[in-house]
Amino acid sequence: MMKKAFTATMGAVSAVVLAGSYYASLRGVEPSANSVPQTTTGSATSGAGTTSGTSSSSSGSTSTSSKSTAASSLKDGTYTGSSVQNPFGTVQVQVTISGGKITSVKVPQYPTGHHSDEINQQAVPTLVNETISAQSSQVDMVSGATFTSQGYTTSLQNALDQAKA
């Protein structure tokens, strides 16, 4: 009798875990804590021409970027950061510097499809506004958009590194 009760309980627990996993996948919860964004080469365009730069992948933590560039030491121009690959797509940031300040941030690439559209519709404008306010890559991660936030800050930092005077 005890064995049947145990088996029934374990079956119920397994069903709850499976249902929770399925529900989480529909909500766009990240599939693995071991997933680390990958980066590729970025480029910059200023009055003098185009240069290239490379950035390494981020650590996968949910804290803000530990490396930042003060906007006051930046050269005017438009700089495109590295393309950062994550499990849901690619993130790339383009930043415009004028008068040594970040005046515009565009995100030409970010994950789309699945649940990413709904997430990034809110996350991307938040990250852009925080960047312009902070004048650096030192911005908070957006809850529920961890991979996009990590890719954004990595690409942004790459673009700001290119803009250093």
Side-chain angles (χ1 to χ4, degrees):
M1 183 73 151
M2 189 70 129
K3 186 175 181 179
K4 285 183 183 180
F6 178 77
T7 303
T9 303
M10 291 308 295
V13 168
S14 295
V16 169
V17 169
L18 182 60
S21 296
Y22 176 71
Y23 179 71
S25 73
L26 293 176
R27 291 185 33 226
V29 174
E30 293 79 22
S32 169
N34 295 329
S35 300
V36 177
Q38 303 297 314
T39 62
T40 58
T41 303
S43 64
T45 305
S46 64
T50 302
T51 59
S52 293
T54 304
S55 177
S56 61
S57 63
S58 67
S59 66
S61 69
T62 57
S63 63
T64 56
S65 174
S66 61
K67 182 178 178 185
S68 68
T69 301
S72 61
S73 64
L74 302 175
K75 295 184 288 187
D76 288 357
T78 299
Y79 303 89
T80 302
S82 57
S83 294
V84 181
Q85 197 66 34
N86 73 44
F88 299 105
T90 303
V91 181
Q92 187 174 39
V93 177
Q94 184 179 62
V95 62
T96 300
I97 310 297
S98 180
K101 294 186 181 247
I102 299 171
T103 57
S104 172
V105 179
K106 294 181 181 174
V107 186
Q109 290 186 56
Y110 56 88
T112 59
H114 188 54
H115 191 57
S116 296
D117 292 330
E118 184 180 328
I119 292 169
N120 291 323
Q121 187 177 31
Q122 294 177 345
V124 170
T126 299
L127 292 165
V128 167
N129 289 336
E130 285 194 27
T131 300
I132 292 172
S133 294
Q135 290 292 303
S136 74
S137 64
Q138 203 63 43
V139 297
D140 291 332
M141 296 288 178
V142 175
S143 178
T146 302
F147 285 116
T148 297
S149 297
Q150 290 171 339
Y152 178 92
T153 56
T154 300
S155 183
L156 174 61
Q157 185 60 54
N158 180 261
L160 294 176
D161 287 346
Q162 295 171 44
K164 286 182 181 175

